[in-house]
Amino acid sequence: MPSPEPLQEIASLREQLEAWNHQYYVLDAPTVPDAEYDRCMQRLLQLEQQYPQAWRADSPSQRVGGQPLQQFGQVTHEMPMLSLENAFSAEDMQHFNRRLLDRLGEDAGPLEFACEPKLDGIAVSLLYRNGELERGATRGDGTTGEDITHNVRTIRSIPLRLRGEHFPAVLEVRGEIYMPKAGFEQLNNRARERGEKTFVNPRNAAAGSLRQLDARITAERPLQMCCYGVGLVEGGQLPGRHAEVLARLHDLGFRINPESAVVQGVEACDAYFDALAVRRNSLPYDIDGVVFKVNDLALQQRLGFVSRAPRWAIARKFPAQEEMTRLLDVEFQVGRTGAITPVARLEPVFVGGVTVSNATLHNSDEIVRLGVQIGDTVIVRRAGDVIPQIVSVVLDRRPSDALPIEFPDKCPVCRSAVEREPGEAVWRCMGGLVCAAQQKAAIKHFASRRAMDVDGLGDKLVEQLVDAGLVENVAGLYALSKEQLLALERMGEKSADNLLAALQHSKATTLPRFIFALGIREVGEATALNLARHFGNWPALAAASEAQLLQVTDVGPVVADHLRQFFDSEASMRVVQSLQDAGVHWPDIERLPQQELPLVDQVWVVTGKLDALSRDEAKAHLQALGAKVAGSVSANTTCLVAGPGAGSKLSKATELGIEVIDEQALLQLLATHGINP
Ligand code: IVH
């Protein structure tokens, strides 16, 4: 028998680690640095190895997965797991409400509803006996599901034992296991880098991760669980309203959706739905609708069930984000840097709230990966303002006359050679500024609002100017005459005057805008700003060696190389000279040595929506003042800039007692250091 001390240490380590898990994964409020967590976990693993008799299935050390299973066991649900009726409009909601009132009697209204986002994941049941997680199961067909206990144990937001003392002897908790969008992107990016198959959407990724015989794989996947109700309850009582039950589950250690709300009457349900629809895409997880439930459990009982769904609940759906359509053709577009992008022309389809007739195919690797052919039926996904994507091919619908997609071996616009650099997925036209497509794209970029901001010089006009041979590069814009403009189709006296005035006006610019406007590869707005602040003037920048360029915040070897190539190109420098000769000018910027910058040694984080600045700009300005800008809040964060919609970063900062300021305060701070964006 081991002495009591190590056993006590094991118990207290387990308790401590589970408390940290709960703070981190359920409350979104971490309290200790990762390193401390890791140290305690290492110590626990060491002690458990030394004292195997202390083994317990609910030890936090078991969340990494054990021996793979041969096959899944079957589970018969004590209470069937039902589905929900759907509503697609406010009218459907009125009918739902009418049916409820008809059954309950008019004096029952207006009814109280619990509203919850409908998470798009996998429904699961968790059975706790005497507070210990005994079994996890999928919904399956509603009656029989699969035993996934070994997998759910690896999900950190699922408590292995219930918190507190007061809970029913048998408690079945139900909810959705899902993969947050960020985790899904990361998982897919990693798969892409390794040339492995990617998941079509977060839901499939969650399902695939959960359906693993080897729980060690599940343990590595960023899965979450959010609870929305209970099944079997024995030997104890829960509160009388759905929302209170959820609050109780939260106290017992479960994650519940922070967007949940209780409202009175069906009109308030509609308002909740509309408000959430606006925010749908900015939520960190996919939802496909809102579930409305009669809040009073006694009323739920009276309402009962029809076939496989409760009468007391309904799921109002958002427009689908995935639809099927046909690939009609593939066109190849040439971008500003010569990159050739295959664009799918689709039979128009309503998806993600808009009609989509084009989707990006990214590059030739993507075409190979999808195995898509012209004529195929494809699944198109459009989530929010993300460019529509083809996520998969419905192979059994392939017509006999489907055609393989041939990637062009010459530039489709200027017939120059195409090449791809080793290790790159993108083919590029080598025509450079000879290529009309590249000319047009470069001029559009130069004139755009965040670059030289030439008002009235839209895409159509740029195309006309290049097609008519009036302009070949950006310098040509400033040589345009009124007569030349008037000769263009649909160009009146007034528009011509306005355009010339706008061109004249654009000549007074700033160094960061000018650098950005040149369209050097990989040099976006933030990098342009960093370059301008670092070098202070154009000649210093243009003369900078690769080593000097590498000193600039956020500039790595690839960007430095693109910059040097640009400065070494005679043609490019001739264009810059002509621009300056035409009168384009900007003030120099005062520069300070790195060590003397006011925010040196500080770590800042920016989150939420900003108004006057993009987050990238805010980041670049802070960097220009010497601060490091990090992606997540931790104990060594100096200050968090939080705009509306700030979520877990804000709660974490508050928890850790870190200074939080809003955009207005940031602008003031920047102004005191002479930055007036
Ligand atoms: S309640 C008897 N609430 O939607 C009530 N379901 O179409 C059954 N779902 O299989 C479910 N979020 O996987 C409920 N807040 C939520 C939900 C939710 C997602 C899923 C659940 C169920 C499906 C029903």
Side-chain angles (χ1 to χ4, degrees), residues 400-422:
S400 55
D401 59 351
L403 284 177
I405 298 164
E406 281 182 38
F407 214 85
D409 54 4
K410 291 207 161 48
C411 171
V413 175
C414 72
R415 316 302 301 159
S416 298
V418 297
E419 274 178 27
R420 106 160 151 174
E421 278 164 42

Side-chain angles (χ1 to χ4, degrees), residues 436-437 439-440 460-471 488:
Q439 290 173 0
K440 288 174 186 172
K460 281 265 149 12
L461 189 49
V462 171
E463 280 163 33
Q464 269 182 297
L465 290 170
V466 174
D467 290 339
L470 293 180
V471 178
L488 294 173

